[in-house]
Amino acid sequence: MTPEQAREFWDGRYGDESYLFGERPNAFLERQADRLRPGMTVLAVADGEGRNGVWLARRGLTVTSTDISPRAVAKARALAARHGAEVDARLADLETWDWPVEAFDVVVGVFIQFAPSDMRDRLFARMKQALKPGGLLLLEGYRPEQLAYGTGGPGQVENLYTEALLRDAFADMEEVSLASYDAEIAEGSGHVGLSALIDLVAMKPEAVAA
């Protein structure tokens, strides 16, 4: 899928006035609240209509939210305005975006499984690059078992995560927790029902003094 096709696809998914994945934050992200402090800088990758970025901003974090869809970015800005939250919502093709380097205390990736394996490798590398030393990665996705449930996510097994895949991709980070489990979720009309989930919390190593 070209960037133009991706933009058209997601603009279509986000075309309604309602929020496809709801307006509440992702449950995994909410569970990480104790790790998040006001003043932290955070990058919400492919944040869609902004539900997670807005929640983070309302907690006092400085948020940069990205998405490839102009429609999603507009809705993210509207959601932020309704909540009196300040979010830097940016239109970004993550393949060509000028990713900041060591700029964020936290990088959040929730259900960003639109990427085939080669693009995913680059995406993960840039997410790590964007973290400051000691920064926190919060990642949630679907496992291959999700295909049988059909309650959300991509239809391509190669886009889904396993524990082995994530351990390999983030072997250069300190694993704080990695959990595979099934749970009922209700996130708008886009994610509803029993789901095969996998959550990773990892920390970028501190810089080594010269």
Side-chain angles (χ1 to χ4, degrees):
M1 186 181 294
T2 67
E4 292 75 18
Q5 289 170 330
R7 190 172 295 114
E8 183 177 346
F9 172 80
W10 287 109
D11 271 352
R13 293 289 310 271
Y14 295 135
D16 291 346
E17 290 303 312
S18 62
Y19 280 63
L20 178 63
F21 301 111
E23 299 183 27
R24 291 187 51 78
N26 169 259
F28 158 70
L29 183 60
E30 277 193 297
R31 292 196 297 271
Q32 309 311 311
D34 289 347
R35 305 182 192 276
L36 305 172
R37 299 184 304 278
M40 280 181 158
T41 54
V42 57
L43 172 63
V45 177
D47 194 35
E49 298 160 305
R51 63 192 178 109
N52 294 320
V54 169
W55 179 80
L56 290 160
R58 293 179 72 191
R59 296 188 63 83
L61 284 78
T62 300
V63 179
T64 300
S65 168
T66 70
D67 204 85
I68 197 170
S69 161
R71 175 65 175 160
V73 171
K75 292 175 77 174
R77 290 171 178 162
L79 184 64
R82 284 206 303 277
H83 287 286
E86 187 172 335
V87 174
D88 181 5
R90 301 187 187 183
L91 186 64
D93 172 3
L94 296 176
E95 282 278 75
T96 59
W97 187 47
D98 186 14
W99 287 73
V101 176
E102 296 189 355
F104 298 99
D105 297 304
V106 185
V107 171
V108 175
V110 172
F111 298 129
I112 56 171
Q113 291 172 289
F114 52 83
S117 59
D118 57 341
M119 181 183 175
R120 179 179 63 219
D121 292 345
R122 293 190 294 273
L123 179 59
F124 284 172
R126 289 164 180 164
M127 291 167 68
K128 288 185 282 187
Q129 167 189 294
L131 277 171
K132 297 176 183 178
L136 197 64
L137 174 76
L138 304 177
L139 184 71
E140 177 168 71
Y142 290 115
R143 308 189 327 273
E145 292 84 351
Q146 178 65 14
L147 294 179
Y149 292 145
T151 52
Q156 301 80 28
V157 68
E158 61 270 18
N159 289 31
L160 303 176
Y161 302 159
T162 64
E163 290 191 14
L165 183 154
L166 294 183
R167 282 206 168 101
D168 181 63
F170 296 99
D172 53 348
M173 297 182 70
E174 177 187 343
E175 182 184 307
V176 177
S177 65
L178 179 61
S180 297
Y181 60 99
D182 289 1
E184 292 277 348
I185 65 174
E187 299 181 336
S189 62
H191 294 156
V192 181
L194 186 62
S195 303
L197 305 175
I198 184 167
D199 301 342
L200 174 67
V201 180
M203 186 174 295
K204 187 171 181 175
E206 295 280 0
V208 178

